[in-house]
Amino acid sequence: METSRPRATSGRHYLQIPGPTNCPDEVLRAIAAPTIDHRGPDFQELGRHILSAIGPVFGTTQPVIIYPASGTGAWEAALVNTLSPGDRVLCFETGHFSALWKKMAEELGLVVELVPGDWRHGIDPAVVEERLSADREHEIQAVCCVHNETSTGVTSRIAEVRAAMDAASHPALLLVDTISSLGAIDYRHDEWGVDVTISGSQKGLMLPPGLSFNAVSAKALRARETAGLPKSFWDWLPILAANENGFWPYTPSTNLLYGLKVALRMLDDEGLENVFARHQRHARATRAAVEAWGLEVLCQDPREYSGSLTAVLVPDGFNADDLRATILDRFDMSLGAGLSKLSGKVFRIGHLGAFEDLTLIGTLGGVQMGLNLSGIPIKQDGLEAAMAVLEQG
Ligand SMILES: *Cc1c(COP(=O)(O)O)cnc(C)c1O
């Protein structure tokens, strides 16, 4: 691609993909400290601190297991600890990530019942109730939900999914992927009766990639006793046993845990309610810009708008990847690509993690200039519309 000036290199790169997100300097400084003996007393203090401080961000007082792995590992952990070969699970086609998790379930030997979707809506609680009510023999062992579908910017209403399961009086486990919602969008593991909450470090938690999580209910721990899928590294039991003393059964990601300690403190200092409100406000301002440009947000149900990211459709005849390349080249900003069937059709603006008003304005300014440079016809009112939302406080 030809441009009239060299790629911007001075100053900060704008990493506005919906994860990994920007890490606060304080987190990076913590991670840069020397690694310590993971069997020594200083580590034990760190481990105990983190294991006692991590619950609130999941909305739980139950155990949270931490893996030195990407979020994909925590998907596998949730399945192999609770299910047996041939078990039926109910999955929903909400987008790219739900499709990957479904594929994993099949590769592990589970039988997936898939509710198809159009990648513009979240999980329909009425369909959950219908499918589970029809399962009179209670063959479905687990319901697998992606809370915030990062490929589409659609957030499913997990409290309503829980209510639908209760309305059907169905005993299936509820497994929820919160990899791009934890620490960004309101989430309540205990209150919503979730059995395993899956998450990762590199999105709302403002850390680099490399840690992932399973928050587990008492019912999930009971399921572990009879779950027949093979497991070793992912097995909850040895980890929970070592965690009793603040340790892990193997070498943990010591330096990422330094960062996690700081990130949890930052979220607590801001207050989770305020963190969620900040994300919703930035999402509102972003949608105001998109609408004022005359473009379309992918998510079609206002109840499901994502606080973490906004996926924007480019008009027919234009390629979103060309737009992203122009923005990267000219303004040193990375935006999220359209994934699988959305490839080239959407770009995704990440507004989660460590993020503030002026970063949003910078981000949207880069998008508006990029749209103009790409010849995509827009009205020039996007930034004004976003600023009007932010000025309201
Ligand atoms: C990022 C993401 C994943 C994948 O996590 P990795 O850390 O890349 O393994 C899975 N699900 C959702 C919803 C995500 O946003």
Side-chain angles (χ1 to χ4, degrees):
M1 186 188 49
E2 296 203 8
T3 55
S4 52
R5 50 186 285 288
R7 178 169 170 180
T9 49
S10 69
R12 183 171 79 72
H13 174 66
Y14 267 60
L15 182 66
Q16 296 320 137
I17 60 176
T21 62
N22 297 289
C23 298
D25 291 347
E26 217 185 323
V27 167
L28 293 176
R29 279 197 295 274
I31 289 171
T35 303
I36 56 174
D37 174 10
H38 62 288
R39 313 248 185 239
D42 288 350
F43 185 90
Q44 184 174 40
E45 201 182 309
L46 173 71
R48 283 194 165 136
H49 172 84
I50 283 173
L51 292 166
S52 70
I54 188 122
V57 79
F58 286 86
T60 190
T61 55
Q62 304 181 82
V64 178
I65 288 150
I66 307 176
Y67 294 103
S70 90
T72 302
W75 269 345
E76 179 158 342
L79 298 174
V80 298
N81 277 283
T82 56
L83 298 164
S84 298
D87 276 356
R88 298 190 85 83
V89 297
L90 184 63
C91 295
F92 306 86
E93 188 201 355
T94 50
H96 177 73
F97 289 102
S98 73
L100 289 179
W101 196 15
K102 168 200 174 261
K103 179 167 163 280
M104 172 188 275
E106 287 171 341
E107 285 167 357
L108 289 170
L110 299 168
V111 178
V112 173
E113 190 172 314
L114 182 70
V115 177
D118 66 358
W119 293 45
R120 299 191 74 169
H121 293 86
I123 298 167
D124 182 347
V127 172
V128 175
E129 185 174 342
E130 192 183 298
R131 291 287 183 123
L132 293 182
S133 298
D135 178 33
R136 293 190 197 288
E137 305 300 317
H138 292 169
E139 284 178 1
I140 294 170
Q141 299 295 321
V143 176
C144 299
C145 304
V146 174
H147 181 211
N148 185 69
E149 179 46 84
T150 321
S151 62
T152 62
V154 177
T155 307
S156 286
R157 290 162 285 145
I158 301 301
E160 292 180 39
V161 170
R162 171 81 265 168
M165 293 173 70
D166 292 345
S169 302
H170 197 289
L173 295 162
L174 176 56
L175 313 183
V176 182
D177 168 348
T178 65
I179 296 175
S180 65
S181 54
L182 198 82
I185 299 169
D186 190 10
Y187 185 78
R188 306 165 189 212
H189 176 86
D190 288 353
E191 190 182 320
W192 295 346
V194 179
D195 293 298
V196 186
T197 296
I198 294 129
S199 205
S201 55
Q202 75 273 27
K203 300 183 186 179
L205 292 183
M206 309 180 288
L207 295 167
L211 292 180
S212 57
F213 308 90
N214 276 180
V216 298
S217 71
K219 184 172 163 186
L221 283 172
R222 281 197 301 280
R224 163 65 191 80
E225 289 167 16
T226 53
L229 282 173
K231 57 192 141 306
S232 171
F233 180 77
W234 303 115
D235 192 350
W236 291 338
L237 297 188
I239 302 170
L240 287 172
N243 281 178
E244 289 279 324
N245 298 312
F247 295 117
W248 270 260
Y250 42 70
T251 317
S253 294
T254 307
N255 292 54
L256 287 177
L257 295 174
Y258 297 158
L260 178 58
K261 180 179 172 183
V262 172
L264 291 173
R265 205 210 59 230
M266 290 176 75
L267 290 170
D268 187 53
D269 284 351
E270 185 175 351
L272 281 175
E273 291 300 315
N274 298 326
V275 170
F276 302 148
R278 166 166 61 83
H279 282 81
Q280 292 303 334
R281 181 165 160 276
H282 287 150
R284 259 198 329 275
T286 303
R287 291 193 301 271
V290 173
E291 194 182 326
W293 286 324
L295 298 179
E296 195 183 343
V297 169
L298 185 65
C299 177
Q300 284 190 311
D301 185 338
R303 294 172 300 177
E304 300 175 332
Y305 285 145
S306 171
S308 298
L309 76 138
T310 302
V312 184
L313 285 156
V314 294
D316 284 345
F318 294 94
N319 187 322
D321 290 338
D322 293 342
L323 168 70
R324 291 188 318 105
T326 298
I327 291 171
L328 177 61
D329 190 61
R330 288 294 299 272
F331 308 116
D332 199 21
M333 175 161 73
S334 295
L335 296 170
L339 297 172
S340 49
K341 76 176 198 184
L342 295 173
S343 174
K345 295 186 165 55
V346 304
F347 64 93
R348 295 174 299 143
I349 303 171
H351 36 70
L352 77 161
F355 196 70
E356 56 284 305
D357 288 6
L358 296 188
T359 316
L360 178 62
I361 292 305
T363 300
L364 295 175
V367 173
Q368 185 163 321
M369 290 187 285
L371 288 163
N372 287 330
L373 288 167
S374 302
I376 298 177
I378 55 163
K379 296 196 288 288
Q380 301 301 313
D381 306 327
L383 273 183
E384 301 292 332
M387 287 192 288
V389 172
L390 296 180
E391 282 166 11
Q392 286 161 18

